[in-house]
Amino acid sequence: MESLVSFVENEFVARKEFPKFSAGDTITVYYEIKEGEKTRTQFFRGVVIQRRGSGATETFTIRKMSGTVGVERIFPINMPALQKIEINKRGKVRRARIFYFRGLTGKKARIKEVRS
């Protein structure tokens, strides 16, 4: 059964090519929003908190500060409305899921940048 599910995912799910990114990276996600008959492109820029899942069911969570309020958004990697992903900064973190980042404010909430 597992092989059948993976076969269907590999054959029939259209995969888009996005750059490699991981937790701690600051990225900008461009996605399409439909409002009635109109469509427009909106972007969401923030720090990647986690990537979870694999294959067609993979998702990633981004966190940004909107004023003094933290906003998180979960994006499926195969969402049809996803247009492109830009990597703004590569971050150096020791964990795959940086949930501790939610509790940090001010200068403590900075992530060291990896220069490459």
Side-chain angles (χ1 to χ4, degrees):
M1 192 63 182
E2 291 278 328
S3 61
L4 180 63
V5 171
S6 62
F7 171 76
V8 170
E9 283 180 0
N10 293 336
E11 291 295 318
F12 300 110
V13 175
R15 293 193 57 84
K16 296 179 183 175
E17 290 299 318
F18 293 119
K20 301 279 184 205
F21 61 92
S22 60
D25 295 350
T26 302
I27 64 172
T28 306
V29 178
Y30 294 88
Y31 57 99
E32 202 170 83
I33 291 183
K34 291 181 180 158
E35 294 173 332
E37 310 241 330
K38 299 178 192 172
T39 61
R40 64 184 174 89
T41 301
Q42 185 169 318
F43 68 90
F44 193 92
R45 181 179 181 179
V47 178
V48 178
I49 298 290
Q50 71 170 342
R51 283 185 77 154
R52 74 180 321 164
S54 63
T57 60
E58 186 176 357
T59 62
F60 58 96
T61 305
I62 301 178
R63 179 179 176 84
K64 75 171 184 178
M65 292 303 290
S66 181
T68 57
V69 180
V71 179
E72 290 187 12
R73 174 121 194 215
I74 300 170
F75 290 99
I77 205 89
N78 282 334
M79 186 166 80
L82 222 60
Q83 290 178 339
K84 68 177 179 175
I85 297 175
E86 287 179 354
I87 299 176
N88 304 107
K89 282 196 251 177
R90 295 243 180 232
K92 181 185 179 197
V93 292
R94 291 176 159 185
R95 297 169 183 259
R97 298 184 177 174
I98 53 173
F99 296 130
Y100 66 86
F101 192 66
R102 292 173 177 158
L104 303 180
T105 57
K107 287 187 176 181
K108 291 179 181 177
R110 285 195 257 173
I111 294 177
K112 276 196 174 175
E113 187 175 354
V114 175
R115 302 277 174 156
S116 55

